[in-house]
């Protein structure tokens, strides 16, 4: 086992970051400036707790064996709800963890200092430290993908909430008695402003007005059930008018949600990450327009800047590593 670094060395040492997704456990050695110097990955065995821990340990061991020098610790980010301390995974949508004492189990296994938490929190921290929100006093991260997640950094501190589950923006209810959400409620924001929402709306149009959705239907062999957000995004990039309109609608919903969050938290920066964020201004232009029109007190107060995340798919890995470094520094202070 690598010896623990002295307090003065912690800020100068690399750490290992792990990002656990539905299909892969991705890891990297992350330098203090946020640079990834080495990577490794394994498939995610989502139905087995022990096999998932085996995959994490294998990635950490591989990276540590190749690294010449000390490592300050390991940060692990995963989709799911963690308690405030990060000790327990309350629920994970892609993995077998249910009220699982993950941090203790992994710490015993890895024998290294460890940070464990939500992957969107880790991504938010990475964007605050190294990305689009550098220097922000209050930043919000919105991860737009299949659903909507995110994180909060206020005055240089990641905010996890009283129970560890802050930043679940996707489950704000924006339409009373609206679309049924997987969380059990109706009308959640992610049912209108996410990749899934984009596909859902497109399928509705294709079924009710096939002529209007002719291009989308041609792309899926005429089967409306096969239209996904990715299909719509590609059609929009190819100039299909309906697809462009549907993306604009998702952007408008995004802007409305940002306006609602601004009324509560008054952020100076809102960073948009996740898979849908690659659409850039196609989504963000209508989002900013809606934000300007829906911001409470508009004309008498500034609103937040809305920016695309800079670190892309690596944000969770980079943020988890830096949070592990921060945890060790605080323990040694």
């Amino acid at each position: 086992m690598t010896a623990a670094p002295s307090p003065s060395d912690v800020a100068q040492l690399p750490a290992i970051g792990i990002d656990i997704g539905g299909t892969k456990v991705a890891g990297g050695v992350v330098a203090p400036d946020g640079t990834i110097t080495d990577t490794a990955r394994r498939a995610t065995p989502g139905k087995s707790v022990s096999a998932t821990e085996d995959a994490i340990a294998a990635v950490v061991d591989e990276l540590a064996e190749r690294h010449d020098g000390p490592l300050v610790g390991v940060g692990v980010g995963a989709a799911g709800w963690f308690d405030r301390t990060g000790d327990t995974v309350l629920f994970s949508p892609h993995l077998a963890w249910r009220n699982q004492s993950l941090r203790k189990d992994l710490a015993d296994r890895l024998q290294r200092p460890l940070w464990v938490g939500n992957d969107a929190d880790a991504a938010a921290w990475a964007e605050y430290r190294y990305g689009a929100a550098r220097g922000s006093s209050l930043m919000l991260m919105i991860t737009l993908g299949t659903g909507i997640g995110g994180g909060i950094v206020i005055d240089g501190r990641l905010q996890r909430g009283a129970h560890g589950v802050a930043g679940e923006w996707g489950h704000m209810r924006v339409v009373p008695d609206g679309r049924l959400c997987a969380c059990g409620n109706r009308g959640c924001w992610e049912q209108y402003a996410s990749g899934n929402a984009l596909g859902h709306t497109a399928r509705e149009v294709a079924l009710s007005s096939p002529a209007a959705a002719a291009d989308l239907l041609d792309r899926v062999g005429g089967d409306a059930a096969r239209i996904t957000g990715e299909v719509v995004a590609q059609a929009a990039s190819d100039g299909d008018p309906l697809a462009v309109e549907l993306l604009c609608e998702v952007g408008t919903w995004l802007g409305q949600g940002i306006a609602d969050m601004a009324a509560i938290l008054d952020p100076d920066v809102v960073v948009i990450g996740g898979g849908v964020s690659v659409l850039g201004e196609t989504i963000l232009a209508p989002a900013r327009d809606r934000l300007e029109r829906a911001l409470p007190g508009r004309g008498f107060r500034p609103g937040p800047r809305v920016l695309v995340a800079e670190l892309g798919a690596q944000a969770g890995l980079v943020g988890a590593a830096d949070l592990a470094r921060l945890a060790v520094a605080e323990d040694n202070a």
Side-chain angles (χ1 to χ4, degrees), residues 1-5 60-61 64 69-74 106-114:
M1 185 180 80
T2 303
V60 171
D61 289 345
L71 294 161
V72 71
V74 178
L106 275 181
D108 290 345
R109 179 78 174 269
L110 300 177
Q111 292 294 296
R112 294 177 182 274
L114 185 66

Side-chain angles (χ1 to χ4, degrees), residues 136-142 150-155 159 166-169 172 189 257-270 295-296 301-304:
S136 168
S137 62
L138 198 166
M139 71 83 74
L140 306 179
M141 177 86 176
I142 298 174
I152 312 166
V153 179
I154 301 176
D155 293 335
Q159 305 297 317
E168 293 292 336
W169 319 122
M172 299 189 300
W189 189 29
I258 294 171
D260 293 343
M261 291 193 295
I264 300 168
L265 291 169
D266 189 26
D268 56 339
V269 178
V270 176
L295 182 69
R301 55 161 288 186

Side-chain angles (χ1 to χ4, degrees), residues 143-147 193-196 198 229-230 233 247 250 254 272-280 283:
T143 54
L144 283 181
T146 302
S194 67
N196 269 359
L198 184 60
E230 290 83 0
L247 284 172
V250 167
L254 175 62
I272 310 298
V276 177
S277 70
V278 300
L279 298 171
I283 290 283

Side-chain angles (χ1 to χ4, degrees), residues 38 207 306:
D38 192 12
L207 290 171
V306 180

Side-chain angles (χ1 to χ4, degrees), residues 72-297:
V72 71
V74 178
V76 178
W81 291 355
F82 292 73
D83 69 2
R84 183 179 175 85
T85 65
D87 290 336
T88 303
V89 188
L90 305 175
F91 170 78
S92 178
H94 306 304
L95 303 165
W97 294 323
R98 300 292 185 272
N99 202 34
Q100 190 78 26
S101 58
L102 176 63
R103 186 161 73 169
K104 180 181 183 301
D105 296 343
L106 275 181
D108 290 345
R109 179 78 174 269
L110 300 177
Q111 292 294 296
R112 294 177 182 274
L114 185 66
W115 179 90
V116 177
N118 177 266
D119 56 353
D121 282 344
W125 182 255
E127 291 293 336
Y128 165 74
R129 285 276 284 143
Y130 308 110
R134 288 187 299 272
S136 168
S137 62
L138 198 166
M139 71 83 74
L140 306 179
M141 177 86 176
I142 298 174
T143 54
L144 283 181
T146 302
I148 300 177
I152 312 166
V153 179
I154 301 176
D155 293 335
R157 303 293 297 181
L158 179 66
Q159 305 297 317
R160 301 178 78 170
H163 306 100
V165 294
E168 293 292 336
W169 319 122
H171 300 291
M172 299 189 300
R173 298 180 69 183
V174 297
V175 179
D177 299 320
R179 291 174 178 169
L180 181 65
C181 182
C183 75
N185 289 326
R186 287 186 175 273
C188 291
W189 189 29
E190 69 177 40
Q191 295 304 310
Y192 302 89
S194 67
N196 269 359
L198 184 60
H200 183 105
T201 303
R203 290 190 295 272
E204 288 182 336
V205 174
L207 290 171
S208 63
S209 183
D215 181 70
L216 293 176
L217 287 167
D218 284 346
R219 291 168 183 266
V220 294
D223 183 1
R226 293 174 54 204
I227 299 175
T228 64
E230 290 83 0
V231 171
V232 180
Q234 183 58 56
S237 69
D238 294 338
D240 176 51
L242 173 62
V244 172
E245 180 182 343
L246 293 176
L247 284 172
C248 183
E249 180 178 331
V250 167
T252 299
W253 276 112
L254 175 62
Q256 180 63 57
I258 294 171
D260 293 343
M261 291 193 295
I264 300 168
L265 291 169
D266 189 26
D268 56 339
V269 178
V270 176
V271 178
I272 310 298
V276 177
S277 70
V278 300
L279 298 171
E281 290 302 310
T282 309
I283 290 283
L284 295 191
R288 292 192 188 102
D289 180 65
R290 181 63 176 180
L291 170 61
E292 289 178 4
R293 292 184 289 112
L295 182 69

